Amino acid sequence: TVKKAGITGYGFYHNQMNQAFPDKMIMETHLRRAIELDELSLHYQPQVDLNNGTITSIEALLRWNNRKFGSVPPSEFISIAEENGLIHPIGAWVIDQACLQLQRWALQGIGNIRVAVNISPKQFSQPDFDRVVSSALEKYGVDASLLEIEITESAMSNMNTTLNMLKKLKKIGVKISVDDFGTGYSSLNYLRLFPIDILKIDQSFVREIQSECKDAAITKTIIHLAHSLGLEVVAEGVEELAQVSFLRKEHCQKGQGYFFSKPLPSREMEKKLLNIG
Ligand code: C2E
Ligand code: MG
Ligand code: MG
Ligand code: MG
C-alpha cells in the first residue's frame, strides 16, 4: 500500500507487513525531540451550528512537521507516541497550547468559543490526568467550560476508573465528548453512567448518508439518542451540501468537516473568527 509521501520516501515501512521496527526507532528518535525543536503545532477546525452557520466550537488537531520526514499525519505518529510513552508530554503540550490559544482569543474579544482536544486512551488513564487539565486552565486563566475533552470509546474500558476520572473532570468544569461515536467496542450502558456532554458521530457513518440506508439509519438513531439523553450531537466529516440538508432535516445541531472548513493554522482560524479572512 502507498503511504503518505514523505514517509515512504524514507522507507518508514520497510516491508508490506508494516513491520517497521528499526525505522520506527528512527521516527521515535525524531519524535522525542519534536517539542523542543518546535515541530509540533495545532491546527483548528470549526464545528458549525447547522441552523445559523455560526462557529460554536473548534477542534484542535495535532500536526508534526519534521525536517526529515516532512508532515507526518497523527494517524502515523500518535500510535508510536502511545507505545513509547511520549504521548504524555505530547498530550500535555496539546492541552497547554489549546489553553494558551483560548487565552489569546479571549484577549482579542473572541469569546464563548470552545476548543476541543483529542485525548488518547493512554493519556486519559493516567491517574493524574485531571491535574494536567486543571493546571493548564489555571496557567492561562481560562474558563474551564471552554475546554472540551474528546475521548473515544476505547478509553472507557474500565468502568470504575473511567467514571472516577470523568467525575474529576466534570468537577473542574470541562466538557466531555465521545469522539468517533459508534465505531468503538462499547455498550450503551456507559451513556447512562458517565457524565458525557457531546456525541460526535463518526465520519464513516456520515460519509454515505445519502446513498447507504444503513448509514442513514445509524446516523438518525445516534441523533435521536443524543436528543433523548439531553446531549449535544456533532456530525463529523461533513463534505457536501446534501449531507448538511440531511442532518438539518434530522435536527442534528452541529457539523464539522471540509464542507465548512478544513483544519487551519491558528492565524487563519483567527482571521475567520474575527471575520477578516
Ligand atoms: P478525529 O479526532 O476524529 O479528527 C477528525 C479527523 O478527520 C481529522 O484528521 C480531520 O482533519 C479529518 N477531517 C475533518 N473533516 C473532514 C472531512 O470532511 N472529510 C474527511 N475525510 N476528513 C475530515 P487528522 O487531523 O488527520 O487526525 C486524525 C486523528 O488523529 C483524529 O481523529 C484523532 O483521533 C487523532 N488526533 C489528532 N490530533 C490529536 C491529538 O492532539 N492527540 C491525540 N491523542 N490524537 C489526535
Ligand atoms: Mg476528535
Ligand atoms: Mg472523530
Ligand atoms: Mg479519533
Side-chain angles (χ1 to χ4, degrees):
T1 53
V2 177
K3 289 278 166 180
K4 293 257 160 65
I7 294 176
T8 21
Y10 293 95
F12 180 53
Y13 294 102
H14 64 78
N15 67 27
Q16 289 172 331
M17 303 294 287
N18 283 2
Q19 286 171 357
F21 182 63
D23 303 309
K24 210 151 109 180
M25 282 181 67
I26 297 173
M27 170 111 2
E28 186 179 318
T29 308
H30 283 266
L31 192 55
R32 216 167 268 288
R33 299 194 60 200
I35 294 179
E36 56 178 296
L37 293 177
D38 203 23
E39 293 179 343
L40 298 180
S41 63
L42 293 180
H43 279 198
Y44 294 90
Q45 188 180 38
Q47 288 171 15
V48 171
D49 186 318
L50 294 175
N51 288 315
N52 55 28
T54 58
I55 297 173
T56 56
S57 320
I58 294 170
E59 179 171 6
L61 293 156
L62 187 56
R63 297 291 176 258
W64 179 29
N65 197 5
N66 177 262
R67 193 166 44 84
K68 183 168 173 165
F69 301 112
S71 166
V72 188
S75 55
E76 307 282 352
F77 70 84
I78 294 287
S79 59
I80 297 176
E82 282 175 335
E83 280 169 37
N84 63 21
L86 280 172
I87 195 66
H88 301 298
I90 291 175
W93 183 89
V94 168
I95 294 170
D96 183 273
Q97 293 298 299
C99 288
L100 170 62
Q101 190 62 81
L102 276 166
Q103 183 199 49
R104 285 196 188 148
W105 283 339
L107 289 172
Q108 292 178 71
I110 303 166
N112 277 328
I113 291 197
R114 227 153 54 194
V115 171
V117 290
N118 291 283
I119 305 300
S120 127
K122 280 260 163 65
Q123 204 184 344
F124 184 78
S125 62
Q126 281 290 102
D128 67 345
F129 174 66
D130 58 305
R131 285 201 278 131
V132 175
V133 173
S134 58
S135 60
L137 289 166
E138 275 166 35
K139 180 176 171 190
Y140 298 106
V142 168
D143 179 353
S145 68
L146 294 181
L147 186 68
E148 184 178 319
I149 300 293
E150 292 194 2
I151 54 175
T152 54
E153 291 158 319
S154 55
M156 303 177 178
S157 51
N158 186 303
M159 195 60 95
N160 286 325
T161 53
T162 304
L163 185 58
N164 280 335
M165 182 52 75
L166 289 175
K167 278 182 179 166
K168 287 196 276 182
L169 292 169
K170 287 314 292 178
K171 214 170 158 198
I172 294 170
V174 295
K175 296 271 188 264
I176 310 290
S177 62
V178 184
D179 201 356
D180 309 336
F181 182 76
T183 58
Y185 180 78
S186 66
S187 85
L188 293 176
N189 203 24
Y190 77 79
L191 290 180
R192 194 162 58 103
L193 297 172
F194 296 162
I196 287 158
D197 302 292
I198 301 134
L199 298 184
K200 297 189 74 175
I201 308 171
D202 189 69
Q203 54 189 52
S204 62
F205 300 122
V206 177
R207 194 168 298 133
E208 310 281 350
I209 39 178
Q210 311 105 277
S211 54
E212 291 291 332
C213 49
K214 284 184 184 171
D215 292 343
I218 290 169
T219 301
K220 281 186 202 178
T221 303
I222 298 174
I223 296 167
H224 298 161
L225 178 66
H227 286 166
S228 4
L229 293 169
L231 306 177
E232 285 181 37
V233 59
V234 184
E236 298 191 75
V238 178
E239 296 184 355
E240 291 161 26
L241 182 61
Q243 291 166 320
V244 176
S245 309
F246 176 99
L247 292 164
R248 287 183 63 164
K249 203 175 108 230
E250 298 304 324
H251 307 289
C252 181
Q253 287 165 308
K254 294 194 214 172
Q256 177 180 353
Y258 300 158
F259 178 77
F260 304 106
S261 168
K262 61 180 197 225
L264 301 170
S266 83
R267 275 295 180 76
E268 283 178 48
M269 190 67 237
E270 200 166 288
K271 281 185 194 160
K272 237 189 209 317
L273 293 172
L274 292 166
N275 264 320
I276 53 174

